Amino acid sequence: MTRHKKQEIAYIKGVGPGRAEAFEKLGLKYNTDLFTIYPRLYLVNTTIRSLKDHLETNVIIRGKVIEKYIPWKPKQPTKIAIFDGTASIETLMWGNAKYREKQFKIGEEYLFWGKVTFNTFEREIKLDIRDHKKCDAGDDDLMKYPLIPIYILSEELKKTWIRPLSLTKIIFNALRSGSSEVPEVLSGSIREANDLLDHRTAMLRTHYPHSHDDIERARQTLAFEELFYLQLVMALKKRAALDGEKGISFRKLGENFEKLFKELLGFELTVAQKRVIREIRADMLAGKPMNRLLQGDVGSGKTIVAVFCILIAIENGYQAAFMCPTEILAEQHYKTLKGYFDLLGINSVILVGGQKKKFRELVLQQIKSGDAKVVVGTHALIQESVEFSNLGFVVIDEQHKFGVMQRAKLRAKGTNPDVLVMTATPIPRTLSLTVYGDLEVSVIDELPKNRIAVKTAMRFEDDRNKVYAFIREQVKAGRQVYIVYPVIDESEKNDLKSAVKHYELLKSFTFKDLRLGLVHGRLAWNEIDETIESFKDGKIDILVSTTVIEVGIDIPNATIMVIEEAQRFGLSQLHQLRGRVGRGAEQSFCILMAETPGEIASERLKIMCETTDGFLISETDMKLRGPGEFFGTRQSGELRFSAADLGKDMALIEKARKAAFDMVLADPEIRKLENAVIRENFLINYKDSMSLIRIA
């Protein structure tokens, strides 16, 4: 983050050219690059006599080898005795006996890291050694600290025979040579207002704390700094958008809006839907390019909100684009939107891959001429051949599945169009403030009144016959069923049940008297669509699928969702899948079929059975899996922090956000003398953000 006195890692004691190359592969070239590699654990610096006070604790002791016991058989452990001036202890060193014999010399001094245990059979304390290092002169300074840090070793470093204690020593040497000129990164007023340490003290206390209280206090400071600069980028982006190019002011609210609202809708909007439409309407009136995130739980009615907003744009003479991540979702949204816009005499089209050339050319012509007022599609919408006549409003559905450049290309099809990004995956507030901190956020936090909560239960292999009997009972009563598998073919992952294989088994044996259909991601979108239409028309009793039906499918008569190997899915994905049922007037059920899950998987599945609150589920999902895995796959450009923890730093995020936004409000160009250190640090370390903001 900051500018320090730099020294190439190769010249740090204990590194050398070979290891320096391994560090550089990890993006670490200078000693300063090591300063923000924070410890994963701390060892208690103690003596052998005091080990009884540290049971089940990772400790480090310094002692001489006084005896070696080499076994006859090579696979048996080597036993050594250590003396540190206070007492002695015997411990085991696993591995090749001859290698261990050469490794330790009697009378020489070593640092030993291990876990203190009590052997109940022998009634004595043991030290299970995990790593060791021969002492040298520089260890005197290192061992002055009561807590010694240990860092995560990458495979690249392991290849060069760097051991954990060696890396500890290397980072210690880096800090000793380069930390004296570490500059401050926050203004004094911000540090004082948020009870923070200065940057240098926080960094040194993180690496070499005097107490456990030091560790958390230092982490809080360093985490605040990381979050502050992220929020500063957000604040400056938001200011640039407000001060930047002029947007569209959608002033007209025409007859079609009133007609749809009062005559054609067929149901009453919820209070939350009406509130969100007012929020978006206010943005559309403002004359600045809108950037708004619309969050809503499964089945909360985000699409109809988008319909009303699109209608405002059309009645003001503009086109609207609705981009979806998959062809099946685009098709589903197209049918929904077309159903409303046909009633109003408004032309809507769909543009996806695989369309016949003549049909595609006709669609492109309608888009270019402006005859097509609503254009639904996939990433096909951003291709060069697509020209809009007057694009003024953009909706991006499940927007986390699109890259930054894809979203920017769609916006570029118009002149500063308003953008509404939607997600059916409730986003934890911590992620919302970090990933989408520059967007205004609207939340539909209310479900339609006629919705009955889905009953969710966990079942195991022993329960399978009962589950199948229940499915038969429900089908006999006229209901329909989804059965979801984690993969398409067994060849993908041999230990996972596949949709294709089990579709054949269910069709040929278990439910041979019922009507089954199969959909998965390798089928063409029109094949998937035909099968889903047959399911919707009641021609299929059981739809076997992968997660391709995760979003966008609305079939009220489908009342049972069976998810096979549920322990393999993330909570948010399970919640999305469950959202395919519970859309009609009948009671619906979600059955989580699981192998005996581990502790974390059990916790996840238990939460699914206890609540249908998508926001509570998403918060729990992120805490259990971390922000990088929240959306199911790690994406390039994801947030990575050295000190901050999005799972537990909600209060810190809000404090950092307030500090950053307040500063930009008071000092938009970061020109005040008190903010000079912030300006300097920002210009050095956030050059990639310069195209997004104006800080001359």
Side-chain angles (χ1 to χ4, degrees):
M1 176 185 284
T2 55
R3 178 162 57 185
H4 308 283
K5 182 179 179 181
K6 287 188 176 182
Q7 174 190 23
E8 286 194 17
I9 285 178
Y11 298 107
I12 297 173
K13 188 175 180 181
V15 181
R19 287 176 171 177
E21 190 176 332
F23 276 113
E24 193 161 357
K25 286 180 181 177
L26 302 172
L28 308 169
K29 188 174 182 180
Y30 299 100
N31 59 347
T32 55
D33 296 329
L34 300 176
F35 293 177
T36 54
I37 299 176
Y38 298 135
R40 62 167 176 160
L41 62 88
Y42 295 88
L43 309 177
V44 176
N45 186 358
T46 188
T47 65
I48 292 174
R49 180 170 290 169
S50 304
L51 290 181
K52 63 181 183 298
D53 300 323
H54 302 291
L55 290 177
E56 299 303 315
T57 301
N58 285 293
V59 302
I60 188 167
I61 61 174
R62 180 174 184 166
K64 290 181 180 180
V65 175
I66 55 175
E67 283 188 88
K68 294 190 292 186
Y69 306 95
I70 309 300
W72 289 100
K73 296 181 180 179
K75 289 188 178 180
Q76 290 183 333
T78 300
K79 189 182 290 185
I80 61 173
I82 308 164
F83 178 72
D84 71 347
T86 68
S88 62
I89 190 172
E90 287 185 0
T91 188
L92 302 180
M93 297 296 294
W94 289 93
N96 184 284
K98 290 184 178 179
Y99 167 67
R100 293 296 183 192
E101 184 180 12
K102 294 176 182 177
Q103 196 172 41
F104 296 105
K105 292 184 179 179
I106 291 176
E108 288 195 345
E109 198 170 27
Y110 298 83
L111 298 181
F112 296 96
W113 157 32
K115 189 173 185 179
V116 183
T117 60
F118 183 73
N119 188 312
T120 53
F121 180 74
E122 298 179 7
R123 305 294 297 171
E124 63 181 359
I125 291 173
K126 295 286 187 184
L127 181 64
D128 295 333
I129 292 179
R130 294 190 58 183
D131 190 29
H132 65 279
K133 173 187 170 297
K134 187 177 178 181
C135 288
D136 57 46
D139 291 327
D140 291 338
D141 291 333
L142 175 65
M143 295 302 287
K144 289 177 182 177
Y145 294 90
L147 295 168
I148 306 299
I150 294 294
Y151 305 86
I152 294 174
L153 278 174
S154 73
E155 288 302 318
E156 286 295 332
L157 296 181
K158 287 177 183 177
K159 289 176 187 176
T160 63
W161 297 97
I162 291 182
R163 305 167 68 89
L165 288 176
S166 299
L167 183 57
T168 294
K169 188 64 179 297
I170 288 168
I171 293 178
F172 178 79
N173 289 333
L175 285 162
R176 188 163 53 179
S177 66
S179 65
S180 59
E181 299 179 21
V182 172
E184 188 47 66
V185 299
L186 295 176
S187 65
S189 59
I190 289 177
R191 289 204 316 275
E192 186 177 345
N194 293 281
D195 190 28
L196 304 173
L197 301 168
D198 66 84
H199 177 67
R200 182 174 183 272
T201 298
M203 187 188 69
L204 291 174
R205 285 193 187 179
T206 294
H207 289 288
Y208 296 98
H210 293 286
S211 69
H212 286 286
D213 288 342
D214 269 358
I215 297 169
E216 182 56 21
R217 177 92 193 278
R219 190 198 72 82
Q220 290 264 329
T221 295
L222 296 170
F224 183 96
E225 292 169 359
E226 290 180 334
L227 294 166
F228 173 84
Y229 278 94
L230 172 68
Q231 294 299 333
L232 181 57
V233 172
M234 298 292 183
L236 291 168
K237 282 174 66 178
K238 200 165 186 176
R239 181 185 65 82
L242 291 173
D243 295 347
E245 296 176 327
K246 189 177 179 182
I248 304 164
S249 181
F250 298 92
R251 297 190 175 279
K252 185 178 179 183
L253 201 63
E255 294 178 1
N256 279 333
F257 188 96
E258 293 294 321
K259 188 176 181 181
L260 178 62
F261 185 74
K262 294 180 178 179
E263 300 175 27
L264 302 177
L265 194 56
F267 58 88
E268 186 177 353
L269 296 176
T270 65
V271 173
Q273 286 173 313
K274 291 175 183 177
R275 184 193 72 242
V276 166
I277 290 172
R278 286 196 299 271
E279 291 170 354
I280 298 170
R281 166 77 172 141
D283 277 0
M284 295 179 74
L285 270 168
K288 299 287 184 183
M290 179 181 77
N291 281 288
R292 185 169 283 272
L293 170 67
L294 175 57
Q295 290 191 71
D297 209 341
V298 175
S300 61
K302 296 177 297 301
T303 304
I304 191 61
V305 167
V307 167
F308 276 103
C309 299
I310 288 170
L311 197 50
I312 293 172
I314 292 169
E315 293 194 317
N316 281 269
Y318 291 90
Q319 294 169 289
F322 196 118
M323 188 164 74
C324 308
T326 65
E327 291 178 349
I328 183 173
L329 188 54
E331 177 69 20
Q332 293 298 315
H333 275 310
Y334 173 62
K335 287 181 178 177
T336 301
L337 269 61
K338 182 176 171 58
Y340 289 116
F341 291 121
D342 279 358
L343 294 174
L344 300 168
I346 294 170
N347 184 30
S348 54
V349 297
I350 183 170
L351 188 70
V352 295
Q355 290 174 318
K356 291 183 179 179
K357 187 177 179 182
K358 280 191 176 180
F359 180 77
R360 182 181 180 81
E361 287 176 351
L362 177 62
V363 170
L364 290 173
Q365 180 56 40
Q366 290 183 56
I367 296 171
K368 186 175 181 179
S369 67
D371 182 47
K373 301 299 182 186
V374 183
V375 185
V376 182
T378 58
H379 59 278
L381 293 176
I382 64 177
Q383 293 174 353
E384 288 185 17
S385 58
V386 182
E387 295 180 50
F388 285 84
S389 171
N390 197 16
L391 179 63
F393 194 81
V394 170
V395 180
I396 300 174
D397 193 37
E398 294 302 319
Q399 75 96 36
H400 59 273
K401 296 186 178 180
F402 291 102
V404 174
M405 294 308 296
Q406 288 175 310
R407 298 195 294 269
K409 282 181 179 178
L410 182 56
R411 288 196 68 166
K413 297 287 184 181
T415 304
N416 298 326
D418 281 5
V419 177
L420 179 68
V421 296
M422 306 198 309
T423 180
T425 303
I427 301 170
R429 182 163 168 74
T430 49
L431 273 186
S432 180
L433 289 178
T434 49
V435 180
Y436 307 113
D438 59 322
L439 303 181
E440 298 297 332
V441 179
S442 290
V443 179
I444 303 178
D445 52 6
E446 177 186 7
L447 292 176
K449 294 177 182 178
N450 63 342
R451 289 290 166 88
I452 302 173
V454 178
K455 291 183 178 179
T456 305
M458 186 170 18
R459 295 291 182 265
F460 303 98
E461 198 59 40
D462 292 346
D463 305 311
R464 186 168 294 280
N465 289 337
K466 291 180 182 178
V467 171
Y468 286 162
F470 180 66
I471 289 173
R472 279 190 172 282
E473 178 187 307
Q474 290 292 304
V475 171
K476 188 177 180 181
R479 310 289 169 242
Q480 290 167 285
V481 182
Y482 297 99
I483 302 180
V484 176
Y485 290 89
V487 294
I488 300 172
D489 295 313
E490 283 194 336
S491 57
E492 295 178 45
K493 290 185 179 178
N494 291 328
D495 62 334
L496 294 180
K497 291 178 179 175
S498 70
V500 171
K501 178 181 177 180
H502 285 82
Y503 167 71
E504 294 298 335
L505 291 172
L506 294 172
K507 182 181 179 183
S508 302
F509 300 100
T510 312
F511 298 119
K512 62 182 180 181
D513 54 326
L514 302 180
R515 299 166 298 173
L516 275 69
L518 171 68
V519 294
H520 56 72
R522 288 203 199 124
L523 297 173
W525 71 270
N526 57 315
E527 292 179 272
I528 296 173
D529 185 53
E530 286 172 11
T531 303
I532 289 175
E533 280 301 304
S534 294
F535 189 53
K536 192 171 187 177
D537 293 341
K539 298 174 184 177
I540 292 173
D541 301 311
I542 300 174
L543 184 65
V544 178
S545 175
T546 57
T547 55
V548 72
I549 54 99
E550 182 181 349
V551 290
I553 311 298
D554 188 357
I555 300 174
N557 193 51
T559 59
I560 301 179
M561 166 65 67
V562 178
I563 304 173
E564 294 284 353
E565 303 212 51
Q567 77 279 359
R568 303 294 187 121
F569 295 88
L571 273 181
S572 294
Q573 193 169 40
L574 290 174
H575 184 60
Q576 290 294 324
L577 289 167
R578 178 169 61 183
R580 297 312 101 212
V581 295
R583 292 174 169 265
E586 302 296 328
Q587 178 65 60
S588 291
F589 305 89
C590 179
I591 301 170
L592 307 174
M593 295 297 296
E595 297 175 3
T596 305
E599 186 177 344
I600 293 178
S602 294
E603 189 178 344
R604 292 208 326 264
L605 298 181
K606 184 181 177 185
I607 290 163
M608 285 295 300
C609 296
E610 291 175 348
T611 183
T612 56
D613 183 336
F615 287 94
L616 174 60
I617 287 168
S618 69
E619 291 282 356
T620 306
D621 199 15
M622 195 187 76
K623 286 177 182 176
L624 291 173
R625 296 198 296 158
E629 296 288 355
F630 177 70
F631 288 122
T633 57
R634 288 193 170 270
Q635 301 177 14
S636 58
E638 67 164 296
L639 290 176
R640 292 182 182 273
F641 296 106
S642 296
D645 181 343
L646 296 190
K648 68 179 183 181
D649 283 339
M650 183 67 224
L652 209 58
I653 292 169
E654 291 181 333
K655 287 168 71 175
R657 181 175 177 82
K658 184 178 186 306
F661 276 72
D662 285 353
M663 191 198 77
V664 170
L665 183 65
D667 186 12
E669 297 290 338
I670 318 183
R671 289 290 185 184
K672 291 184 178 179
L673 184 61
E674 66 183 278
N675 296 323
V677 295
I678 294 173
R679 178 185 177 84
E680 181 183 8
N681 190 52
F682 187 88
L683 292 175
I684 291 169
N685 295 292
Y686 288 86
K687 291 178 181 177
D688 292 344
S689 302
M690 297 304 287
S691 61
L692 303 174
I693 63 170
R694 293 185 294 112
I695 173 174

